[in-house]
Each structure stands twice: as C-alpha cells, then as structure tokens.
Amino acid sequence: MVRMGSGFDVHPFRADDTTESHGQAGLRLAGVEIASGPPLDGHSDADVAVHAVCDALLGALAMGDLGSRFGTDNPETAGADSVQLLRTVVDDVATAGWRLGNLDVTIIAQQPRLSGYRDAMRQALAEACNASLDDVSVKFTTTDSLGFVGRGEGIAAWATCVVTALHR
C-alpha cells in the first residue's frame, strides 16, 4: 500500500542584517548551511525545504501539518533546527506503520545560486528521513525575476513524497 503527500512553504529574507534571529544564524536549506545567502526569517530556522518535506509526509497520512504539530505560538520551537522537527515527523510516520518511499523537493529561489549544494541537500534529507540517497531528489528553479521570489524577497519550496506501508 502506498500514499502520496505534498507540502509547500515560503519564508521571506530577514529584513535586518543581524546574524541572529530566534537563534538562527544564516541561510539554511534542506538541512544545509548556505554560505552565500541572506538568512530567512521565521519562528524556527526557517528551512523552507525541510518544512515542505514535513508537510508532505504529514499530508500523506492525514496527520495535520507542521503548524499544527510545532506551532509558531510554542516558545519551545523558537529557533528550532528544522531537521530535528523532520526527524520527529519521520518517527511519527514510522510509528503509524509507514516509511518514505521517495521524495522530490523543488526549491524556488532567484538568489543565491544553489546548484553546488544539491548533493549535500540530498544527503541531509536522506539521513533525516532514514531513506536511501537514490530515493531523494532536490531540484532548483527561479521565477525568472517574477513575483516575490523574483524580486529577491524570499524563497519557497515544494515537496512531494510517496510513503509505503511497513507491514501490509
């Protein structure tokens, strides 16, 4: 038995030039620190790719969404490492009798250039999801300078996953 889920997330770039906001230091995408990018603003580390993956997994099993599980009104999740949140979601998915079959993530960003980080992102997501590297895809696209992403105001991510039953 298989099920499919999708997730989407978006965060604006931080308006100020400070290096700390809710405990986060720099730009983090798919669990990887991006040296050349301005940080995103959010309650946690604002990792839009990981947030989209969490929502895809939760959606596949009708288990709610990231906000209902780790809400922005919870002071314990301020500055949280999104990969840790993903590991919690993966554990919950396993407890429910499922595992990740495959994952496809698209990061939408006009800036910074991300292609040099693809392998590290795939590895970080595969490890967090207890999955094979061959089951994780990470892609990048721009909006050709259109909209908030094109104007360099933020980054978005879309994730689609298939989960398979452990014992059915």
Side-chain angles (χ1 to χ4, degrees):
M1 181 175 234
V2 299
R3 296 182 84 168
M4 191 171 115
S6 65
F8 176 79
D9 195 40
V10 61
H11 282 277
F13 287 114
R14 199 170 316 134
D16 59 26
D17 282 341
T18 62
T19 58
E20 293 291 326
S21 175
H22 297 296
Q24 56 185 344
L27 177 61
R28 189 172 166 103
L29 293 171
V32 175
E33 296 292 329
I34 309 299
S36 61
L40 293 170
D41 194 23
H43 180 69
S44 66
D45 62 9
D47 188 330
V48 293
V50 171
H51 294 179
V53 171
C54 288
D55 275 347
L57 287 165
L58 292 167
L61 299 174
M63 296 173 73
D65 59 30
L66 193 65
S68 66
R69 302 295 291 278
F70 310 102
T72 58
D73 58 344
N74 183 349
E76 292 178 18
T77 57
D81 178 348
S82 293
V83 170
Q84 286 303 116
L85 302 179
L86 176 56
R87 287 187 178 121
T88 299
V89 169
V90 168
D91 288 345
D92 292 347
V93 166
T95 298
W98 298 82
R99 73 170 193 82
L100 179 70
N102 76 301
L103 173 65
D104 185 28
V105 179
T106 303
I107 300 173
I108 306 113
Q110 198 67 39
Q111 54 136 343
R113 301 286 298 174
L114 298 171
S115 60
Y117 294 96
R118 184 184 330 272
D119 292 341
M121 289 178 178
R122 288 182 63 221
Q123 184 67 44
L125 290 172
E127 287 175 9
C129 292
N130 298 323
S132 167
L133 187 61
D134 292 338
D135 294 330
V136 176
S137 170
V138 175
K139 307 181 306 275
F140 310 110
T141 193
T142 69
T143 60
D144 292 327
S145 300
L146 297 173
F148 78 92
V149 170
R151 290 188 301 270
E153 297 172 12
I155 295 178
W158 182 271
T160 304
C161 72
V162 169
V163 294
T164 59
L166 290 172
H167 307 289
R168 291 202 175 159

